[in-house]
Amino acid sequence: MKGVWMVVAALVLGGCASLQYGTPQATAELKDAGGKAVGRVRLWESADGVRILARVRELPPGQHGIHLHAIGKCDPPDFSTAGGHFNPAGRQHGLKNPGGPHAGDLPNLDIAADGRGGLDHVTRLVTLAPGPTSLFGPQGTAVVIHANPDDAVTDPSGSSGGRIACGVLNR
């Protein structure tokens, strides 16, 4: 019985993702323009690609664009210091764009009426290892959540609107 309670405690304290995927190889704490923590992003490299798991709270309900941005800097209030989308191949924006996507393009983040939401996505367009598609290049990388949904085709940003949360990826 003691073993069962230890597993339950690990799930509650460590989160299901840590047990399912192992220790994250990169993380980012997401903060809003006021500096308040609104979520966390965890990344793992696997044979399938890089798994990106985002969990957020206290954000407006609905769909929101979420992207990997080219500069690991998140200065409020508009987070413009994160630069544009991570795009080492020089492609057009959008997961549905025939000329795309950017390596930093991700599916929309779904936020429920209670302000909580998440994303669990695997991409082969980036790596955590050294190389041209590494998220740990000289400028680093930020994760940005936008005010509106990403339409998955409009270049350069999917008409996803202003930036409402940002976090810098760290090992």
Side-chain angles (χ1 to χ4, degrees), residues 90-102 105 151-155:
R91 309 276 316 221
Q92 290 185 350
H93 171 79
L95 296 173
K96 296 179 182 175
N97 185 330
H102 295 154
D105 290 346
D151 68 14
V153 292
T154 304
D155 197 46

Side-chain angles (χ1 to χ4, degrees), residues 50-139:
V50 173
R51 178 170 299 276
I52 302 168
L53 181 67
R55 294 292 179 251
V56 300
R57 61 191 176 282
E58 299 181 46
L59 291 179
Q63 288 195 327
H64 296 271
I66 179 171
H67 305 103
L68 301 170
H69 280 246
I71 300 170
K73 199 167 182 184
C74 290
D75 294 337
D78 65 359
F79 307 118
S80 62
T81 53
H85 296 175
F86 183 66
N87 188 21
R91 309 276 316 221
Q92 290 185 350
H93 171 79
L95 296 173
K96 296 179 182 175
N97 185 330
H102 295 154
D105 290 346
L106 301 171
N108 282 317
L109 180 66
D110 289 314
I111 308 296
D114 68 358
R116 295 182 179 272
L119 172 77
D120 189 352
H121 178 70
V122 176
T123 178
R124 291 184 174 273
L125 300 177
V126 300
T127 185
L128 302 177
T133 61
S134 177
L135 296 178
F136 290 104
Q139 294 189 336

